[in-house]
Amino acid sequence: MSLSRSFRSLAASTLLAASVALCAACALSPSSALAAAPKTGVVAGSGTTMGGVFTAGPNGAEYLLPSLARLSLSPGAAVRLFPNHQELQLAPGAKTTTYSLALIQGRIDVTVPAKPRSAVLCTMGKVSAVVSAGQATLLTHGDQTTVASVEGDVRTLAADHWQTLAPGTLAHFTGEHSSAPQPT
């Protein structure tokens, strides 16, 4: 065997080994990335989905959104979760990744982390609430709705009127009419 032929044979086998190693590394990377990604959906408790509405079980449910926002649903709370996010202009600068839901009945505690920049938009009949980097409690029963700001940035919208709730305050709504913010 000549020197050039053995060099080509060695180069070919080295190239083959490198290709196999690269393919193996690529095959492992997605599963490693998936293992590092947080689980979304129901992460504690239980619930059922029927007709696009998720109803928390007898012990409630914890639901994690892809934005890492956490929804704590009381037992029997019913929500319609919209699967796709929107990019909304909630403040000057870059748009905010926002997940939306409709609270049909019950109580939900919404916690939105400061990073990554995101928000949760919740509709409750004729009232909407936006929670950005903070925590709020939302409660609806019939045509009565209460939005309480625990901490962070919580805003409500009723009858084309935006209202910012300072931490430690709440507002009651009947239809489109809201009470003045009051201490919790």
Side-chain angles (χ1 to χ4, degrees):
M1 183 183 270
S2 71
L3 184 59
S4 66
R5 187 179 286 176
S6 64
F7 179 71
R8 278 186 282 196
S9 176
L10 178 62
S13 64
T14 303
L15 181 60
L16 178 62
S19 297
V20 169
L22 181 60
C23 288
C26 290
L28 292 177
S29 293
S31 62
S32 300
L34 290 175
K39 177 185 175 194
T40 58
V42 178
V43 293
S46 64
T48 58
T49 301
M50 182 177 286
V53 174
F54 176 79
T55 303
N59 296 321
E62 293 282 327
Y63 198 98
L64 187 65
L65 296 173
S67 65
L68 303 181
R70 184 172 293 273
L71 310 175
S72 299
L73 288 82
S74 66
V79 296
R80 180 178 306 277
L81 298 163
F82 298 96
N84 299 323
H85 71 275
Q86 310 96 305
E87 296 295 327
L88 300 180
Q89 191 73 48
L90 298 177
K95 291 186 177 184
T96 303
T97 300
T98 307
Y99 283 87
S100 298
L101 62 102
L103 177 59
I104 299 167
Q105 70 180 23
R107 174 187 169 155
I108 184 171
D109 294 303
V110 178
T111 304
V112 179
K115 298 215 185 238
R117 182 176 174 174
S118 64
V120 172
L121 170 62
C122 182
T123 60
M124 299 149 291
K126 296 181 178 185
V127 178
S128 295
V130 177
V131 182
S132 305
Q135 184 177 0
T137 297
L138 313 170
L139 175 67
T140 188
H141 182 73
D143 69 343
Q144 299 286 320
T145 299
T146 300
V147 178
S149 173
V150 178
E151 66 179 5
D153 184 16
V154 179
R155 288 174 273 172
T156 62
L157 174 66
D160 295 329
H161 175 71
W162 282 100
Q163 175 177 296
T164 299
L165 292 176
T169 63
L170 61 81
H172 297 286
F173 298 86
T174 303
E176 294 179 355
H177 307 287
S178 68
S179 68
Q182 53 191 308
T184 53

